[in-house]
Amino acid sequence: MLRTSSVRVLDEHDREAVHGLLDADPVGNVFVSSRVRATGLNTARLGAELWGYVEQGGIASLCYSGANLVPVNAGPTAVRKFAERARERGRRCSSIVGPIPAVNDMWDRLRPAWGPARTIRANQPVLELSEYPAVEPDTRVRQVQPHELSILYPACVAMFTEEVGVPPDSGDGGALYRARIAELVRSGRALARIENGRVVFKAEIGAVTPYACQIQGVWVHPEHRGQGHAVHGMAAVARWALSGVAPRATLYVNDFNTPARAAYRRVGFREVGAVMSVLF
């Protein structure tokens, strides 16, 4: 029988087809697209493999396989093929993230081999903003300077631990996580309000393409919550992002995080989709 479908690791020869798939949903695919645009498709530079589901000679779906496992434009057959490959290789990721139907199907197939997940976030609304916020931005939110990394880093650790449930420095002492935060600071994509040597509000622009950027790490110090810092801080971050980073700002949020969702609505973000995350 003629073989008409397969999964293979993609390389630079596949660049045009890959960008075509990613750019069809620039908001939903902002993370993978940002990584590919920054490093290309060489596995060593990408720090991950990009798998392609090839059907009738063309690349129909993608799956980013690195610290995260991220299916892109993956229907049931592609998900099955990607899950088979992931199961054969063993779990190397800390999460599976992507559209709810694809991730739910993929996890059903991987759970017997990979064991239980630590946490499942079954519905995380994806939000988008393409116009300046209507609320006033906090003028004290600004780009974090390199010499302030030691001030920002503890806030990032606190945010990550609160959001994910485990500290980011439990494995290698935080070397990789600290390097990532330092990279965001150097690139001018870490913003914060800092008072008396302590972060009051912070957020980072974690992924950037010509079409969209993704805001991450939104956090208000516990002693300053309920005072409007999230709304006006996010207004400042969104205005900054839309002023020159990308024409659309996006993020995703846990459906149970009612205060955050209310703050984002006040800023002007609207729901455009949803993702699911399986965390290990």
Side-chain angles (χ1 to χ4, degrees):
M1 180 181 292
L2 180 64
R3 186 179 183 183
T4 59
S5 67
S6 64
V7 171
R8 63 177 175 85
V9 178
L10 305 180
D11 58 29
E12 289 297 333
H13 296 93
D14 304 301
R15 177 182 288 267
E16 183 176 351
V18 166
H19 283 305
L21 279 171
L22 293 173
D23 292 349
D25 182 6
V27 169
N29 299 331
V30 63
F31 167 73
V32 177
S33 183
S34 175
R35 295 288 300 143
V36 169
R37 290 179 184 278
T39 66
L41 291 172
N42 178 275
T43 297
R45 291 197 301 271
L46 186 61
E49 291 182 344
L50 190 65
W51 303 339
Y53 170 64
V54 181
E55 190 173 43
Q56 301 295 336
I59 300 172
S61 307
L62 308 171
C63 187
Y64 179 91
S65 177
N68 307 307
L69 193 65
V70 186
V72 173
N73 195 48
T77 304
V79 166
R80 176 169 58 83
K81 295 287 189 177
F82 290 144
E84 288 172 358
R85 188 179 187 93
R87 187 170 58 246
E88 290 170 359
R89 295 169 62 85
R91 184 174 70 80
R92 304 182 182 187
C93 61
S94 59
S95 67
I96 308 173
V97 183
I100 293 173
V103 171
N104 194 48
D105 187 3
M106 183 173 284
W107 179 231
D108 281 345
R109 296 176 182 279
L110 289 173
R111 184 190 297 112
W114 285 10
R118 182 172 52 80
T119 303
I120 295 178
R121 307 282 168 80
N123 181 19
Q124 296 173 296
V126 176
L127 312 180
E128 177 186 330
L129 181 68
S130 57
E131 298 179 351
Y132 283 162
V135 299
E136 286 297 315
D138 184 344
T139 57
R140 283 171 284 189
V141 172
R142 56 172 176 80
Q143 290 173 299
V144 178
Q145 300 304 304
H147 71 273
E148 296 174 309
L149 177 61
S150 61
I151 297 174
L152 178 66
Y153 183 70
C156 293
V157 171
M159 178 283 306
F160 188 99
T161 304
E162 184 177 336
E163 169 67 19
V164 179
V166 294
D169 52 2
S170 58
D172 61 354
L176 286 176
Y177 187 68
R178 187 181 182 90
R180 175 57 177 158
I181 300 302
E183 176 189 341
L184 291 171
V185 170
R186 283 194 302 271
S187 64
R189 285 158 44 192
L191 295 98
R193 174 173 173 171
I194 298 174
E195 293 181 354
N196 301 317
R198 187 171 71 173
V199 172
V200 173
F201 165 89
K202 75 160 196 77
E204 297 87 46
I205 309 294
V208 176
T209 76
Y211 311 109
C213 64
Q214 186 176 67
I215 300 172
Q216 64 179 41
V218 181
W219 184 82
V220 177
H221 193 285
E223 293 180 9
H224 296 276
R225 292 176 185 175
Q227 302 174 27
H229 290 295
V231 172
H232 298 287
M234 276 299 292
V237 172
R239 176 175 283 271
W240 182 84
L242 296 174
S243 294
V245 179
R248 284 182 280 190
T250 183
L251 57 84
Y252 60 90
V253 60
N254 291 318
D255 61 342
F256 54 79
N257 193 341
T258 303
R261 295 181 69 179
Y264 298 148
R265 278 195 299 270
R266 283 190 60 191
V267 174
F269 283 89
R270 63 185 182 90
E271 292 190 16
V272 294
V275 298
M276 175 178 175
S277 298
V278 179
L279 309 178
F280 302 104

